[in-house]
Amino acid sequence: MAGTEPEPTGARDASLPARAKIAVTAGRVAAAVSRKAGRGSGSVIGGKVALKLDPDLLATLADHLDVVLVSATNGKTTTTRLIAEALRAAGPVVSNALGANMPAGITSALAGGSDARFGVIEVDEKYLAGVARDTRPKAIALLNLSRDQLDRAAETRMMAEKWREGLQDTEAVVIANADDPLVTWAASSCKKVVWVAAGQAWKEDAWSCPACGGVMQRPGDDWFCQDCGFRRPNPHWALQGTHVIDPQRGAWPIQLQLPGRANLANATTSAAVAAVFGVAPQVALERMRSVTAVAGRYDVVQYQGRDIRLLLAKNPAGWLETFSLIDGPPAPVVLSVNALDADGTDTSWLWDVDYERLAGHPVFVMGQRKLDLAVRLEVAGLQFHVVDSLEQAVRMAPPGRIEAIANYTAFQQLRKVVAG
């Protein structure tokens, strides 16, 4: 937006209480000023200003919406986008598509969707219970829990316990990953649960029973605790190869433009969520085909005459999934890691990532914590170059598409660089 005038409002805005109207207008002005100053989208500062003026604004804005909340350590932005596309088959949708997933960002998103029928909202794990109380969702999707930002977020079992306690009284239909013991334990306190067999590639945070602390037994795709009997529930929906299996055992093909098994799992959960709102699997999955990238993730861009694919990986589970997507050796790989507030300042997670999978790739290391990453790659026995910029990496890289993998703020920096 070029100026600082508030954005046009819909018919719904006119019916808001006076305090909410003032808060929404002030938030829009603050966001516009932030954008004009080049400080990002303005969604967070706009939401903070609005909530300061009206602490009940989030509940007011959500009151007319059928709300879906999506929370997880990994995949929530993509799944939110897939669900939003599926539900557009039934009516207009408002969503925090750019991933501002704390109360301020969510408030800003809902303030821009006054005429929507559905609100599809990504929520940071830490804020899920509070946002659920404010928005009274019809559905909540719980995808996975693993270690992430340990300096800010709780240990994974503690987070699962917060979900379990915070959601036990919800009237929402909870769509939960039956293959993740932490998610299953969190969701099992809820009244209405739809179980989805979405898979769990990263298992390192789920070897102890969240219910009793015993050692989890994990034969094949099953899991159970021998000590207390806590075990994997029978799923209602499942991912089978490249098909979604619905509760009536119908098989529906997934034909995404997004790569990787993780996105097949995201689509399966999204189809289960859409069904809660009466959108049939074949309709939901067909609409998901239109998604080619999510907030820059998976984009293939041209930079300095080279094709570069942008991939986001924020924690060990995310890096594991990302390594399964990249072109095989000798495709060049750029790794960029920061440790700013939005990333989490603790980089000890680097030692949990299986960087040995990059053997045979020409690797280029950059970012604020490039030396920390270099030490980890040295221990992994990899050949790599430490560089100061993407331009330097591109100059040194051998032919072929470059796979650029970065954590959160490093990813945003790469997007700015390739955008010119």
Side-chain angles (χ1 to χ4, degrees), residues 282-363:
Q282 64 270 37
V283 175
L285 291 166
E286 177 63 29
R287 293 193 65 87
M288 293 179 210
R289 290 180 63 181
S290 66
V291 180
T292 58
V294 180
R297 298 159 174 84
Y298 317 111
D299 264 341
V300 177
V301 298
Q302 278 274 319
Y303 178 71
Q304 303 286 322
R306 301 287 296 273
D307 282 345
I308 301 177
R309 181 161 59 161
L310 302 178
L311 299 166
L312 177 71
K314 303 180 293 183
N315 47 53
W319 285 83
L320 177 64
E321 293 285 2
T322 301
F323 289 158
S324 71
L325 302 180
I326 64 174
D327 296 336
V333 177
V334 173
L335 307 178
S336 186
V337 171
N338 289 348
L340 303 175
D341 286 345
D343 307 299
T345 55
D346 180 354
T347 57
S348 61
W349 57 267
L350 289 169
W351 294 89
D352 298 321
V353 179
D354 185 11
Y355 287 108
E356 286 79 1
R357 288 172 175 252
L358 295 177
H361 289 274
V363 177

Side-chain angles (χ1 to χ4, degrees), residues 355-376:
Y355 287 108
E356 286 79 1
R357 288 172 175 252
L358 295 177
H361 289 274
V363 177
F364 302 87
V365 178
M366 56 181 285
Q368 180 198 30
R369 291 298 183 92
K370 60 188 178 185
L371 297 183
D372 292 358
L373 182 53
V375 171
R376 174 67 185 93

Side-chain angles (χ1 to χ4, degrees), residues 70-146:
V70 182
S71 200
T73 306
N74 292 296
K76 52 185 177 286
T77 301
T78 300
T79 303
T80 297
R81 176 68 184 278
L82 294 175
I83 293 170
E85 290 302 321
L87 290 186
R88 285 192 175 99
V93 173
V94 60
S95 183
N96 53 340
L98 297 178
N101 58 22
M102 297 181 193
I106 294 167
T107 300
S108 281
L110 295 191
S114 57
D115 297 321
R117 175 183 171 188
F118 301 105
V120 184
I121 304 298
E122 170 189 340
V123 188
D124 181 272
E125 306 94 289
K126 185 177 178 180
Y127 294 93
L128 176 60
V131 172
R133 284 193 298 271
D134 285 342
T135 61
R136 292 182 295 176
K138 186 172 180 178
I140 301 173
L142 305 178
L143 311 181
N144 51 69
L145 278 175
S146 65

